[in-house]
Amino acid sequence: QVQLVESGGGLVQAGGSLRLSCAASGSIFSINAMGWYRQAPGKQRELVAAVTTGGRTSYANSVLGRFTISRDNRKNALYLQMNSLKPEDTAVYQCNAEITVAGTHYGMDYWGKGTLVTVSS
């Protein structure tokens, strides 16, 4: 059984910062690509940022220059540093990872339940 658990969400004023964390646990053999997605009320889920095993990152245009994604492979953890937050960043943020479970030879997508980020104007 593999779990992804996010933390760090909350209420912040526009211009403020938050740091999201995602911890992966369970029978993990390896973790491949990891990413943060978000879904705002009434909108489709969108990719915010992603990072490969080797550390290559990519970002949605809307967060470029404000958000930084990082990972700690030793801790099976993923982070998202969010600065200069805007009201339009308000959403549920979910962690996603392609994980190869111990004893298998293929990766599968796993999702956390999400953490709510609310940015007030």
Side-chain angles (χ1 to χ4, degrees):
Q1 185 78 5
V2 171
Q3 280 190 321
L4 297 178
V5 179
E6 302 97 337
S7 61
L11 174 64
V12 64
Q13 287 189 330
S17 298
L18 282 175
R19 186 176 190 244
L20 304 184
S21 299
C22 172
S25 62
S27 301
I28 297 171
F29 176 73
S30 64
I31 301 179
N32 305 314
M34 303 183 80
W36 287 99
Y37 287 74
R38 68 184 181 187
Q39 186 167 20
K43 294 188 176 182
Q44 288 189 331
R45 183 166 60 191
E46 63 173 349
L47 176 63
V48 176
V51 58
T52 66
T53 305
R56 182 175 298 179
T57 59
S58 59
Y59 297 91
N61 288 337
S62 59
V63 306
L64 197 60
R66 300 187 297 122
F67 290 10
T68 302
I69 190 170
S70 61
R71 63 190 286 174
D72 185 332
N73 292 329
R74 292 175 303 172
K75 296 182 178 179
N76 290 338
L78 180 69
Y79 308 99
L80 185 68
Q81 178 66 44
M82 305 186 294
N83 299 328
S84 303
L85 282 161
K86 305 175 181 180
E88 51 263 43
D89 294 319
T90 295
V92 173
Y93 285 71
Q94 282 182 285
C95 173
N96 168 263
E98 182 184 304
I99 296 175
T100 300
V101 173
T104 69
H105 301 284
Y106 53 89
M108 292 180 61
D109 256 0
Y110 289 87
W111 293 86
K113 292 184 178 180
T115 184
L116 177 62
V117 172
T118 304
V119 184
S120 63
S121 57

